[in-house]
Every structure is written in structure tokens, then in C-alpha cells.
Amino acid sequence: MPIDPAVAVGADLGRRELRWDSTDVLLYHLAVGAGPDELGYVYEAALRGVLPTFATVATTLRDTEPPRVSMPGIDIDLARVVHGRQELVLHRPIPASGREQAGARIAAVYDKGSAAVVVTETTTALFTSRISIFAKGEGGFGGDRGPSGRVPVPARDPDLEVLSRTDPRQALWYRLCGDRNPLHIDPVFAAKAGFPRPILHGLCTYGMVAKAAVDAALDGDPARVAAYSCRFSGVVFPGETLRTRIWREDDRLLLVATVPDRDDAPALSDAVLTFR
């Protein structure tokens, strides 16, 4: 059995030291769409802050091999897995260079019937990150379905709307931040996974939408982000445009991202960015 919840849930995934410097931060900002006219993101002497979503690559920066979905009680073919949900809590702003100890565990395993959801949690003094992966064909073991995570948006026009063009080379840049999944570069692997061509990393979309929200609604100040979560509801192909709709609601922003190139096909939904 590829998934044994009794073994998996609560399993310790070990500790590792995270290290990064301004070069890693600038590369990440470029990989999520920062351009030459945005010196606050791409020039160390003018850096306004680090996008909080940098936390999602801080654990993979030195990785050069494709990820493996092999953990205690879990052994799944990478081609059957997609990123389902991402949750990030910032305990304090991320500095431009740093060193942290990170501990990880399997927080939950949910049974969606035709699929399983595996939730891993990584914690440092700076942030806590929860990744939910959706494993096709691995459900049906009689477990808890888990929370829905639905976040409806207001029944009115958004307060802000941002268009962000992705570059055809976007996935090539983003994978240099440590996510070497061949789904994002290899057409043969992408076809095996059921896609017509390589897709953009979900976490790249996640970072681009966060940047759009920070720039449009938080005065370009990444340090104001306290938490950010979303569900990945569709795919983005490199070269397409993202449309981010933003609703203000008290101390949070509700976000929806779609792909206007494909009749506003969903990309990211149920997204909440809480700000300081």
C-alpha cells in the first residue's frame, strides 16, 4: 500500500539547516516576475524587503535532484502528484540573508476518495509552512476527508485587479530555486502526468500572486504580510497571463487568480493574505 496513515501521520521528517543570501533572494524575485524597473526587488542596494513566499524555496535552495514522494508510510510516483494547497505563516519578516534550523513532519493524511492528500509541515523561527500534495489514485483507504478550506469572495466587484504576464522561460528560472520536478521542463514527463506540455510551478504562481497583492494593496512592503494561504485550482503554462482579483476585508485580502488567455480558467483560489 503506497500510503499507510497509521505510520505516516505525525512522522518526523528530520531537521536541516537553511542558508540563504541576497543572491538567492534576488533570483527568487526574478523567478516570480520582478523586472528591471523594480529595483526594490532586484537590486540589493535598494531592496525594500523579501517577499514572504521566499519561505517556500528556503528549504530547497541547494537541492539539485527531482523531489521524491517517499516518506514514512508514503511512497508515491511523482507523476501522480500535484500541489493542492499551500499555507504560510510568517512569525517575523524574512531577512535578505540568514541561517535557520528547520524541522519537518507529516501533519495529516486525508482520503478524498479518488485521491489522497498528504500534508507536511515545516517550522522555523521565521515561518511555518504547510504543503498539501494531491496524490491521484491513492485514496479510498477509509480515512478522514479533511477540511474543505473554501473561502468565498464577496458578491461585488474586486477592489483591485492586477495583470501579471509570465515569461515563456519562467519555469526554467524558478526551478533554479530548488524545485527540479521534471513536470515543469520535460514534455515527456508532463504527458505522463496528463498535461499537454510542461506547466508552471504552482508555487511560482503563488509567489506571483503574492507579489501582485503586496504591490497593489500593501504599498509594496513585503514585511506587512503575516500569513498567506491558497488552493491550487488549475494550471498555468509559461507565457500566459495571470489575472489577480483582490478584495479588501478588514485585516486581510481575499484573492482569486485566473488565466485570461484561456477564458479566465482558474489558477489559484480560496486565497487569503492576512496583513499587519
Side-chain angles (χ1 to χ4, degrees):
M1 181 177 179
I3 297 180
D4 184 345
V7 174
V9 177
D12 187 348
L13 300 180
R15 298 185 66 81
R16 66 185 296 182
E17 184 180 70
L18 311 182
R19 293 179 294 108
W20 68 95
D21 58 27
S22 63
T23 298
D24 300 312
V25 169
L26 299 180
L27 173 61
Y28 176 75
H29 287 168
L30 289 172
V32 295
D37 58 340
E38 298 178 296
L39 294 187
Y41 287 116
V42 300
Y43 180 33
E44 62 278 7
L47 198 62
R48 286 198 64 185
V50 179
L51 282 172
T53 49
F54 177 78
T56 62
V57 301
T59 58
T60 63
L61 283 173
R62 311 295 173 230
D63 293 353
T64 58
E65 297 295 326
R68 296 175 65 244
V69 192
S70 181
M71 297 172 272
I74 296 171
D75 191 6
I76 306 170
D77 182 354
L78 183 61
R80 300 172 70 86
V81 169
V82 293
H83 203 143
R85 183 173 174 80
Q86 175 67 44
E87 303 167 71
L88 185 61
V89 176
L90 284 304
H91 307 310
R92 60 178 187 263
I94 297 174
S97 63
R99 179 174 294 188
E100 287 285 332
Q101 290 292 322
R105 68 185 183 100
I106 301 175
V109 176
Y110 299 125
D111 185 352
K112 298 295 187 181
S114 62
V117 173
V118 178
V119 184
T120 59
E121 182 179 270
T122 299
T123 301
T124 76
L126 288 176
F127 62 84
T128 297
S129 172
R130 289 172 63 94
I131 296 174
S132 299
I133 60 171
F134 189 86
K136 294 174 283 187
E138 303 295 346
F141 50 83
D144 181 7
R145 285 189 60 85
S148 70
R150 297 291 183 180
V151 182
V153 299
R156 57 179 173 81
D157 290 340
D159 298 301
L160 298 162
E161 183 174 305
V162 182
L163 292 177
S164 308
R165 181 76 178 178
T166 70
D167 191 281
R169 300 163 293 180
Q170 198 97 36
L172 309 185
W173 298 329
Y174 191 87
R175 68 191 300 270
L176 299 181
C177 295
D179 188 340
R180 301 295 182 93
N181 189 336
L183 176 62
H184 308 295
I185 193 170
D186 185 340
V188 174
F189 188 93
K192 180 183 176 184
F195 298 102
R197 58 188 184 277
I199 65 174
L200 190 62
H201 303 70
L203 285 178
C204 184
T205 301
Y206 179 75
M208 293 186 72
V209 171
K211 179 180 178 299
V214 167
D215 291 345
L218 301 181
D219 302 318
D221 184 1
R224 293 185 63 191
V225 178
Y228 174 38
S229 61
C230 82
R231 179 172 65 90
F232 299 102
S233 51
V235 301
V236 179
F237 295 101
E240 293 184 323
T241 295
L242 282 171
R243 187 197 313 274
T244 300
R245 296 183 176 94
I246 304 170
W247 289 263
R248 292 191 177 98
E249 187 180 81
D250 299 324
D251 64 345
R252 64 181 193 166
L253 306 174
L254 306 184
L255 313 172
V256 172
T258 59
V259 183
D261 310 64
R262 287 183 281 116
D263 298 321
D264 279 312
L268 183 153
S269 59
D270 303 311
V272 180
L273 189 154
T274 305
F275 57 88
R276 298 182 173 90

